[in-house]
Amino acid sequence: MTNTENLRHLADRYGVATSYEGWDKARRDVSEKTLQRVLGALDVQATTDADVEQSIADHDVADWRRVLPPVVVTTEGTRPHVWVHVPHGGSVTVTIETEFGDTVGAEQLDVWFDPREIDGTLTGRATFAPPADLPLGWHTLHATGSVHASCTLVVTPATLSTTEAVSDRQRWGLLTQLYSIRSERSWGVGDFGDLADIASIMGENHGADYVLINPVHAAAPQPPIEASPYLPTTRRFFNPLYIRVENIAETAQLSKERFSRVTELASKFTKVNHKTKRIDRTPSYRAKLLALEWIFVVPRSASRQASFERFCTLEGEGLRNFATWCALTEKMSADDPRWTTKAAGPESEWVRGQQAKLADRIEFYSWLQWICDEQLQQAQVAALGAGMDIGVVHDLAVGVQQHGADAWALGSALAEGVTVGAPPDNFNQQGQQWNQPPWRPDRLAELGYAPYRDMLRTVLRHAGGLRVDHILGLFRLWWIPTDANSPAEGTYVRYDHEALIGILVLEAERSGAVVVGEDLGVFEPVVQDYLAERGVLGTSILWFEKDADGAPIPPEEYRRLCLTSVTTHDLPPTAGYLAGEHIDLRSRLGLLERDVEEEKVHDAEGRDAVLALARDRGLLADDATTMETVAALHRLVQRSPSLLLGVALVDVVGEHRIQNQPGTDETQYENWRIPLADADGTAVMVDDLRDAPDLLAD
């Protein structure tokens, strides 16, 4: 056992919460064991009293051991103070090399710090301030003189201008799980070609301004394929499952025999496209990979080859590492010991040797990403061409698989020995375990936030907007030791939210994209105010908007900088929610902490209070049908001042089934495998959306 008070002091220094307020407002202390495990994941020794005392001492001099901070992230128009540490009596000059090639000087400020003896050397601290008029972007700060060092300096927008650009009126868009809605042209799973058609139909026929889709991050490179779009192998690159094979230019150049075989492969999914019981990604992906292998070897025209090469240059080392990992997974099973020895990371000598041997496979996986990029661009062009102001809005998952491509390529940037999740709350009373390694805040800073930036750039390239799932994770994340008995045995770890939000805003600004943060759940009061200051929209769900007494908040009092919708993918569609199907499901799955009848009474009271708001405004008749009630609730949220409204596709067509039940796995529920169907259980196809009802019509 350690001195508990000292252990908690140490945890505080590293941003590890020693207590937290739960969803029920009760204060809970974090156990000593959890603190030790989480600190260990940050490479902080805390097993004994001596460990704790030494770690506290090391933390107190850590800044003084560095010439410069690992990174400086600031906002435009400000002058951050930058500490430079030099041998006492030495001299130093600080300059900034901008990303545009200019060099400007930083001013030394008249600030005195007493010198300190650090590791046997008397060390002084000088304070510098860069100019306030530095341009937005990624610059390099240099210290020269008695010492020589450099670090990244990032200048971010004070607020995201794209938010102001959509502030003139309320806009609405479609919220959809892309894989779930098929067309006659799909291969059993919705794809990027379907996305282009959905955007075109919703823009041209219904006046929508955006379509928000599930994350389309890459999963495993070979079947079987993970069903959850929120558990990818990488967040930077895309899932070839969504490629529309027929839309690749080289498909038309296939030999007659190969083209006929592609057509035959596609025809096997004609009936599958109309099935409504379960989405099975693996047969679709297996068939597509076979066709894609044939198309890959078709000679590309000079312009097409040049485009591919430019893409590879643009994505650089990140793409090469990802494609290398994909190629290696073809050779080695997940439990192959070489993953922890010879192939422990992309920089190993053995891996570099394999890159030469696997050049063709690395090119193939790079090519797949180029095709994804090309088809996403086509979807965004179709959306804007159909009159949408925003277009395709992508969804950024919280994290990645524990042993996937990012975990392999990014190495120590991701923490080991812990996973991300959520503490118990009102809707998930046992907590959530997401099985994803979190960013290490210290290593992310050491890397100048480059992995985070590169991920954002790739995802935003052809996006009109970005929804950041659990944006609270840019402020703090719930870390759960891998040996914990339940998610409740975790704690929060703080992140530099000013840096993470600032870089998010910078990359969105450069892409011309709006940003929506999913800020539902337990959060600190400052979060929503800070997001609003930076121009990041929040998220409101009708059923979750309650005051301190648990009464529903009138929609007229919702936030303006917000995307507001009636439901979300973690709840049943509104028709199912009105019937209380979520309570029945949670009861069957053993997810309730109190009596089911008590839960039903409580839930019904909350629903009835919301329905009363609609009735008070003359939007809902007492004898309304289910679909009339669904429409009335959408007209209710239309009364809010929120800049963006979201209409879930499942609500448009009358679907009842929930796409995802948090806190369950594939053995308990068909999460992320529910094909889109109407109230009668008939499959809804992309082309059916032309005649879809308008839930926002008066």
Side-chain angles (χ1 to χ4, degrees), residues 542-596:
L542 176 65
W543 306 112
F544 297 165
E545 289 295 317
K546 299 178 181 179
D547 62 21
D549 297 323
I553 298 172
E556 293 83 358
E557 298 178 15
Y558 285 10
R559 290 174 288 166
R560 180 171 176 269
L561 296 184
C562 197
L563 188 160
T564 293
S565 63
V566 174
T567 190
T568 177
H569 56 251
D570 288 336
L571 290 176
T574 304
Y577 193 83
L578 290 169
E581 293 177 6
H582 52 299
I583 303 299
D584 292 332
L585 177 61
R586 291 173 190 163
S587 177
R588 291 198 305 273
L589 297 175
L591 299 177
L592 297 179
E593 294 290 338
R594 57 186 173 190
D595 180 76
V596 63

Side-chain angles (χ1 to χ4, degrees), residues 329-342:
T329 60
E330 292 183 343
K331 296 183 56 173
M332 302 190 300
S333 63
D335 58 358
D336 192 310
R338 287 177 292 180
W339 284 116
T340 57
T341 55
K342 294 180 178 181

Side-chain angles (χ1 to χ4, degrees), residues 250-323:
E250 285 73 31
T251 301
Q253 304 302 316
L254 287 168
S255 67
K256 288 184 178 180
E257 179 184 355
R258 283 279 171 86
F259 190 86
S260 176
R261 292 183 68 183
V262 169
T263 302
E264 181 182 350
L265 285 172
S267 68
K268 293 180 179 179
F269 296 96
T270 300
K271 292 183 179 179
V272 175
N273 288 328
H274 292 271
K275 291 185 177 180
T276 59
K277 184 177 180 180
R278 185 177 188 268
I279 291 280
D280 192 348
R281 292 164 171 80
T282 294
S284 173
Y285 192 42
R286 185 175 287 117
K288 284 190 178 183
L289 279 178
L290 182 59
L292 290 166
E293 293 275 9
W294 298 334
I295 299 167
F296 169 66
V297 297
V298 173
R300 292 178 283 278
S301 67
S303 63
R304 294 274 293 164
Q305 180 62 25
S307 177
F308 174 43
E309 291 173 0
R310 284 194 300 271
F311 172 79
C312 292
T313 299
L314 178 66
E315 291 295 343
E317 184 180 7
L319 176 62
R320 182 169 176 78
N321 287 343
F322 172 67

Side-chain angles (χ1 to χ4, degrees), residues 122-143:
L122 192 61
T123 302
R125 169 178 282 179
T127 305
F128 288 81
D133 60 352
L134 280 176
L136 297 176
W138 294 79
H139 315 307
T140 305
L141 189 147
H142 299 283

